[in-house]
Amino acid sequence: MDFSHSDEELVKQPIGYWSWAASDAVVTFIRASLADVGLSQPQWWTLNQVGQSPTGRTRDEITAVLQGYLGVGDKLQPDIDDLLERRLLAPDTADRLQLTEAGTALLTQAAEIQDANRATIHDGVTDAEFLTTVKVLQRMIHNTGGKAWRH
């Protein structure tokens, strides 16, 4: 790969720009691939959260975990409503959301897509490089008083 600048110039580049550009490129790539199977990224997250729990999840439980993801916040409820309308999720007698058979099938398909996405995104990046990158970003978030958390 050809880099945009020499090493001497790269160390002087603005992290705000490059972290934004990386986020924009990766999120756009992921969202486009999920859209191919009729899912938004928040819907994928929701199906995945419900699928990870043998007892299902309530709306509040899903929202508590996902509200900080890419600024989703209160905007998650329409995505959950859509999954219910499409019969990919269904409430049980305790009002906990469960995957339907169609939801399980779509979750499996989307998980395969996400595995392929991760392989593409990480192509040529060692685990050590990735670990260093995440630690550097977390340090910069800490240094600026920001907050970030991922389950």
Side-chain angles (χ1 to χ4, degrees):
M1 178 185 149
D2 292 328
F3 292 97
S4 62
H5 301 79
S6 69
D7 287 356
E8 295 78 21
E9 294 169 318
L10 281 174
V11 298
K12 297 175 186 173
Q13 291 288 304
I15 187 63
Y17 172 77
W18 289 108
S19 59
W20 166 82
S23 176
D24 186 57
V26 169
V27 169
T28 298
F29 177 78
I30 290 168
R31 288 182 175 177
S33 65
L34 290 171
D36 287 344
V37 294
L39 287 176
S40 69
Q41 193 174 33
Q43 289 172 333
W44 150 251
W45 296 329
T46 299
L47 290 176
N48 197 40
Q49 283 297 310
V50 173
Q52 289 178 14
S53 175
T55 60
R57 303 245 191 222
T58 65
R59 284 177 179 263
D60 288 343
E61 290 169 339
I62 294 166
T63 302
V65 172
L66 300 179
Q67 67 185 350
Y69 283 30
L70 299 177
V72 169
D74 296 336
K75 296 176 270 186
L76 189 59
Q77 298 312 310
D79 286 302
I80 294 172
D81 290 341
D82 185 64
L83 294 171
L84 287 163
E85 289 169 17
R86 292 168 55 195
R87 293 184 164 55
L88 298 169
L89 293 176
D92 63 17
T93 56
D95 215 24
R96 297 182 69 78
L97 301 178
Q98 305 287 338
L99 290 171
T100 63
E101 189 174 318
T104 299
L106 186 55
L107 174 61
T108 299
Q109 184 181 15
E112 290 169 359
I113 289 167
Q114 289 291 66
D115 288 343
N117 286 345
R118 187 178 196 287
T120 298
I121 293 165
H122 286 244
D123 185 38
V125 177
T126 67
D127 286 349
E129 290 170 323
F130 182 74
L131 178 62
T132 297
T133 300
V134 173
K135 285 184 172 183
V136 167
L137 290 171
Q138 286 187 4
R139 170 54 62 187
M140 290 180 169
I141 292 165
H142 171 81
N143 289 348
T144 59
K147 295 189 181 354
W149 176 85
R150 170 125 180 21
H151 73 279

